[in-house]
Amino acid sequence: MTREVTRVTHPDDNCRPAASWQRVAAAFHAWRTRRQEHAPPTSDTGSPAPEPVPGANTLWRMRTTVQDEPGSLAALCVALAGRRVDILSLQTHPLAEGTVDEFLLRGPAGLPASAITTAVESAGGADTWIERADAHDLVDAPTRVLGLAARTALDAAELPLALRQLLGRCTIRSRPAPLGGRAPGGLAVEGALDDTVMRLRAPEGGVITVERPYLPFTPTEFARARALVELDARLGPRLPHARDVLTLAEGGDITVRRADTRDLAAARAMHERCSARTLKLRYHGPVGDADRYLNHLLSPRYGRTLAVQTASGRIVGLGHLLWDGDETEVALLVEDTWQRRGVGAELLARLVAMAVEAGCSSVYAVTQASNTAMVAAMRGLGLPLDYQVEEGTLVIAARLGEPVAAGAEEFGSASAP
């Protein structure tokens, strides 16, 4: 099939009907193919060495596997010292055979990663992996894990982000439990670890899959991730209670707050008040099973939701920030009688603020080319935009730079990773 794709640069989710999702997926994946960053190879990140600066240093994170015997670590230290590389911190990950040593290193600015790798392997290290580090890596592991636990305790939607910060660059996907409440594939309660993939039993009975192709997980990392998920399960459903009352240009007040599956009935009622055209623009086709879509969209396992409600408590708008593997989607639905009052733009700005706070580099919206309101709202962000158009489906990606005006912390987000 021949297709024509237009791309202009300007300054597997279950919430869409299956029949129209094929077109949406084709457009989005064509766009993502151009923009997806590949994970670094196991031996080096491939990043160019910086220009030498007198007295400057470079931070590195490195892992290598050594024999579990006296003197093996000492040999590595001597080899690193020979290249004037300091060891700032060290963690050990015991294996059935050998030990994975994880280092935070500080070396001369002109020393390339390949030279460090060569020195380590000459001293007995194997399967060495190295990448650039930054000042955030100077925080010791216990402090970082405690911070992630506190972050998860405040907000159920933080679990995927906390796992990503705990495990580094990885892809995290949540799959709901099938009918009957049992985890797919007969997953054991304690989960499963298979080299670069770990599967954890989600609190609701589904499965959380974490993939990191460029670096195998260790049993220690698996135990930490499992403990974080168990904490989340014990705490149960929870959301920050912060809310903000805004006065619209026409004088009416609205409240913006976080929402979850406990708002399902009110969200369903809003859908029933929306016109067929509004629902079609949002879901790219007829909506025959709103309960299933809404339950997914409102679940904190898949992202964050903001609700707009009136003084009487009626929900008139929903905005979703959805974790889609390595990408982040934004989606809006505003009841017909509340459209063109700035509600959608307000929701979108706050969702983007949350994405910035969560450390996302971009967000994308999937809509129709005829949805001029969504296009205008994305342009109103004042961010560089990429457009992907195919067969009437429009994917607009916003590259995030400086934080937008609305503060994400006002709506219950935890600290940035």
Side-chain angles (χ1 to χ4, degrees):
M1 179 180 70
T2 302
R3 67 183 184 184
E4 181 178 354
V5 176
T6 302
R7 186 168 184 263
V8 183
T9 299
H10 187 276
D12 117 298
D13 113 34
N14 296 321
C15 62
R16 304 187 185 94
S20 59
W21 173 237
Q22 294 176 350
R23 297 197 310 272
V24 177
F28 172 61
H29 288 300
W31 165 78
R32 181 156 64 177
T33 298
R34 293 184 176 89
R35 294 178 53 84
Q36 184 69 27
E37 291 186 1
H38 298 288
T42 56
S43 60
D44 198 346
T45 62
S47 56
E51 292 294 330
V53 178
N57 295 299
T58 302
L59 294 176
W60 299 95
R61 291 176 58 234
M62 184 188 75
R63 285 191 181 190
T64 191
T65 303
V66 298
Q67 295 296 318
D68 190 9
E69 57 186 31
S72 59
L73 179 58
L76 288 180
C77 295
V78 171
L80 291 171
R83 302 310 301 259
R84 300 182 63 190
V85 176
D86 295 332
I87 299 174
L88 301 181
S89 68
L90 168 65
Q91 296 183 61
T92 59
H93 300 250
L95 304 177
E97 295 183 3
T99 300
V100 173
D101 287 338
E102 181 176 349
F103 297 89
L104 178 62
L105 305 174
R106 180 171 57 202
L111 184 67
S114 57
I116 299 176
T117 300
T118 299
V120 166
E121 292 182 346
S122 67
D127 299 324
T128 302
W129 169 86
I130 187 170
E131 73 169 3
R132 293 288 183 89
D134 59 30
H136 294 91
D137 294 296
L138 294 172
V139 178
D140 66 282
T143 300
R144 184 169 67 251
V145 171
L146 286 171
L148 295 177
R151 173 178 179 167
T152 303
L154 293 173
D155 188 349
E158 291 291 321
L159 180 61
L161 299 177
L163 286 172
R164 181 168 292 161
Q165 187 174 357
L166 177 68
L167 302 170
R169 290 189 311 281
C170 56
T171 300
I172 300 174
R173 292 184 173 88
S174 296
R175 186 153 52 119
L179 295 177
R182 294 185 179 180
L187 182 67
V189 174
E190 63 271 16
L193 173 62
D194 182 14
D195 197 35
T196 61
V197 179
M198 68 170 68
R199 299 170 69 226
L200 303 164
R201 177 72 68 90
E204 298 84 2
V207 173
I208 300 172
T209 302
V210 187
E211 298 182 58
R212 191 176 65 187
Y214 67 94
L215 185 64
F217 294 112
T218 66
T220 299
E221 289 179 306
F222 178 60
R224 291 171 180 171
R226 188 174 60 195
L228 201 59
V229 173
E230 289 176 354
L231 171 65
D232 182 272
R234 287 181 176 273
L235 292 173
R238 61 206 178 279
L239 276 184
H241 298 294
R243 56 184 62 206
D244 195 17
V245 178
L246 304 175
T247 301
L248 299 176
E250 61 188 34
D253 288 342
I254 58 172
T255 298
V256 183
R257 62 172 176 83
R258 289 284 300 279
D260 63 7
T261 51
R262 290 170 290 186
D263 295 289
L264 182 59
R268 187 189 303 120
M270 187 194 78
H271 275 63
E272 293 173 353
R273 295 191 300 270
C274 290
S275 67
R277 180 181 181 276
T278 291
L279 294 176
K280 182 178 180 179
L281 288 175
R282 167 61 185 91
Y283 295 104
H284 320 292
V287 181
D289 192 0
D291 284 356
R292 179 167 62 89
Y293 304 141
L294 286 173
N295 195 65
H296 176 96
L297 291 169
L298 292 170
S299 172
R301 301 302 169 208
Y302 305 106
R304 297 173 180 159
T305 297
L306 290 177
V308 175
Q309 67 180 41
T310 63
S312 64
R314 172 183 290 186
I315 290 181
V316 297
L318 291 171
H320 307 283
L321 187 70
L322 301 168
W323 316 132
D324 179 19
D326 296 328
E327 308 293 338
T328 306
E329 180 182 1
V330 289
L332 303 175
L333 179 64
V334 178
E335 189 176 325
D336 293 63
T337 55
W338 286 82
Q339 293 175 10
R340 303 188 183 283
R341 302 190 189 185
V343 173
E346 185 69 35
L347 278 174
L348 184 60
R350 296 177 186 279
L351 293 173
V352 171
M354 285 183 171
V356 170
E357 188 272 340
C360 303
S361 60
S362 66
V363 297
Y364 72 90
V366 181
T367 184
Q368 297 182 26
S370 59
N371 192 348
T372 56
M374 188 64 181
V375 174
M378 291 293 287
R379 287 178 175 171
L381 294 172
L383 297 171
L385 301 179
D386 291 343
Y387 299 85
Q388 173 77 26
V389 185
E390 183 170 341
E391 298 180 0
T393 298
L394 175 62
V395 180
I396 311 175
R399 301 193 299 274
L400 307 182
E402 294 299 319
V404 293
E409 67 279 359
E410 296 176 9
F411 306 97
S413 301
S415 300

